[in-house]
Amino acid sequence: MSSYVQTILTAVIAFPFIAFLFTFPYIIYNYRKYGSVLSFRILIVYSFILYLLCVYFLVILPLPSIDEVARMTGPRIQSVPFMFIRDIFQESDFRLRDVSTWITLIKNKAFFQVFFNFIMIIPFGIYLRYYFRCGFRRTFLFSFLLSLFFELTQLTGLYFLYPRGYRLFDVDDLLINTLGGIAGYLCAPAFMRLLPSRENMDKASIRRGMEVSLPRRVLALCFDLFLIFLADAALRAALPDGRQMPGSLWLIPAFLYYSFVPALTGGRTAGKWILRIRIGATATGSRPHWYQYPLRCGSLLLFLFALPRIFSLLPPLPAFLCYTVWFFFLAYTGIRAVRHRDLFYERLSGTRNISSLADQPCRSEEISS
């Protein structure tokens, strides 16, 4: 039992690193599909990842040395079905006429191995039916494929890292694991009564996605800035004295990018397209006039970068007062952004960020239903 606990602790320690690699594409997927990232959905998906990680580590750990595996001479495959029944009887002291020996059928190593293989995949069947909305056939298939993946991992010696498999490929494990997945599917309704349905989670996610949250805007901005800095690097490389030019040169491609790309694409930059956002007119949500885009971008760049440079040219006391006012207004703008209020450059330009989910009539029907 201590080895199982140690393996699970290892999975828990490794989980943050695996989750970090998964987080970014998962967030993008949710914003693309729903326009928001629901916290309860994150809890379910990440618990599913942690569960799979624990099961995988239980399959491959502890790792032996390569020399130890090279010296192994035992069988690699057990291809006879239901051999676990014989093993349980052999490991026990069962005698039909002696009732006191019957308990040994469930108090031996062979039984516990079968039992753990069975319960190990039960959560997988629950996840498949509850969150992934799989039917019986798909749950059966995916449970079998998961078990087959584990057995092939063992047969190939951790994908040929070892000279041979260091654990037995057992057809009984395929049967027991698959039965565990089916058992999870059958008992999933008991959990589904206590948890919100997948349909309700989807509707809540889309409802939130109709508003453009601050994290969504920031993530779109990060995509756009990445492209802008690539353009800036290309511009510096193309110019003869590009490396000696001021660092603020990137403001030129930034202004051109935010002014002309949305005008040509119906209010979308690359980042806004990925995050399902577009720029619309404040009053109607329709496509703004061409001049509203440079007004929107120019007023923001002027406030963030031009004003501080102008303040630096003033005497110390006026400069300090100007910087103070600028800082408090910046903080006020941040508070308004968190509260989903229109910002100053949006008011000046008569534009605002709109979720492009609202452009799909089927999404509105999902929310109202």
Side-chain angles (χ1 to χ4, degrees):
M1 181 62 70
S2 61
S3 62
Y4 290 120
V5 174
Q6 185 63 39
T7 300
I8 293 174
L9 289 176
T10 303
V12 171
I13 293 172
F15 171 71
F17 302 99
I18 304 298
F20 176 78
L21 297 176
F22 177 77
T23 295
F24 188 71
Y26 176 70
I27 288 176
I28 298 302
Y29 168 79
N30 274 270
Y31 276 127
R32 285 291 301 167
K33 186 171 184 179
Y34 305 107
S36 66
V37 182
L38 199 65
S39 57
F40 190 76
R41 189 192 301 276
I42 293 177
L43 177 63
I44 293 175
V45 173
Y46 276 68
S47 66
F48 181 64
I49 295 174
L50 178 59
Y51 157 72
L52 289 180
L53 193 62
C54 289
V55 174
Y56 182 71
F57 278 11
L58 286 170
V59 170
I60 67 172
L61 298 180
L63 294 176
S65 66
I66 295 180
D67 292 337
E68 181 182 353
V69 175
R71 292 193 298 268
M72 291 181 177
T73 58
R76 302 185 183 188
I77 300 177
Q78 195 293 105
S79 59
V80 181
F82 304 109
M83 286 294 291
F84 69 90
I85 298 177
R86 187 204 65 177
D87 295 337
I88 290 175
F89 276 96
Q90 287 183 346
E91 291 280 343
S92 69
D93 297 325
F94 174 78
R95 291 187 297 276
L96 182 61
R97 296 182 179 181
D98 189 353
V99 178
S100 63
T101 64
W102 292 7
I103 191 67
T104 61
L105 288 173
I106 61 173
K107 292 182 65 176
N108 63 76
K109 181 179 179 181
F111 173 81
F112 279 117
Q113 182 176 354
V114 173
F115 178 71
F116 281 123
N117 280 335
F118 178 75
I119 65 172
M120 186 171 66
I121 309 299
I122 288 179
F124 186 69
I126 295 175
Y127 277 109
L128 289 182
R129 183 170 184 177
Y130 166 61
Y131 185 74
F132 297 101
R133 293 183 286 192
C134 292
F136 180 85
R137 292 182 180 179
R138 295 182 67 186
T139 302
F140 174 86
L141 175 63
F142 290 145
S143 299
F144 174 78
L145 291 177
L146 179 67
S147 178
L148 182 62
F149 168 72
F150 291 151
E151 294 303 312
L152 291 177
T153 298
Q154 296 174 342
L155 180 64
T156 59
L158 199 56
Y159 322 116
F160 306 103
L161 178 65
Y162 290 93
R164 54 159 286 166
Y166 59 90
R167 289 188 180 180
L168 187 68
F169 179 101
D170 195 339
V171 69
D172 283 341
D173 289 346
L174 288 174
L175 297 174
I176 298 301
N177 290 157
T178 304
L179 288 175
I182 294 173
Y185 174 87
L186 295 176
C187 66
F191 294 90
M192 294 168 68
R193 294 175 183 175
L194 303 175
L195 301 173
S197 68
R198 174 66 186 271
E199 291 77 9
N200 289 336
M201 281 192 289
D202 289 348
K203 289 179 181 179
S205 297
I206 295 172
R207 192 179 301 114
R208 292 186 181 184
M210 290 299 177
E211 292 186 358
V212 182
S213 64
L214 181 60
R216 193 172 170 189
R217 296 176 67 166
V218 170
L219 196 56
L221 176 64
C222 292
F223 274 107
D224 290 332
L225 287 179
F226 176 73
L227 296 177
I228 290 170
F229 288 138
L230 285 181
D232 177 64
L235 183 62
R236 291 178 183 275
L239 295 176
D241 298 325
R243 294 184 179 182
Q244 283 73 38
M245 300 188 71
S248 58
L249 179 67
W250 69 272
L251 293 175
I252 297 176
F255 177 78
L256 297 175
Y257 177 79
Y258 278 108
S259 297
F260 294 103
V261 171
L264 298 173
T265 59
R268 295 175 178 87
T269 61
K272 292 183 185 298
W273 175 82
I274 293 173
L275 275 297
R276 304 293 293 272
I277 305 171
R278 67 176 177 85
I279 301 173
T282 300
T284 62
S286 59
R287 186 170 180 170
H289 298 289
W290 67 268
Y291 60 84
Q292 290 178 279
Y293 297 113
L295 182 59
R296 173 189 173 93
C297 174
S299 57
L300 178 60
L301 295 178
L302 177 67
F303 172 75
L304 291 179
F305 301 101
L307 285 183
R309 289 184 174 274
I310 294 174
F311 297 157
S312 64
L313 302 176
L314 299 176
L317 183 58
F320 174 77
L321 294 176
C322 290
Y323 276 123
T324 301
V325 173
W326 178 86
F327 175 80
F328 278 106
F329 187 77
L330 182 64
Y332 170 73
T333 302
I335 294 173
R336 290 187 62 86
V338 172
R339 300 181 63 186
H340 302 169
R341 300 291 191 269
D342 292 340
L343 306 182
F344 70 92
Y345 61 92
E346 294 175 322
R347 292 187 173 185
L348 287 173
S349 61
T351 61
R352 62 188 176 97
N353 282 301
I354 299 174
S355 175
S356 60
L357 291 174
D359 299 335
Q360 302 178 9
C362 60
R363 291 301 194 182
S364 301
E365 293 176 4
E366 289 182 32
I367 294 176
S368 59
S369 60

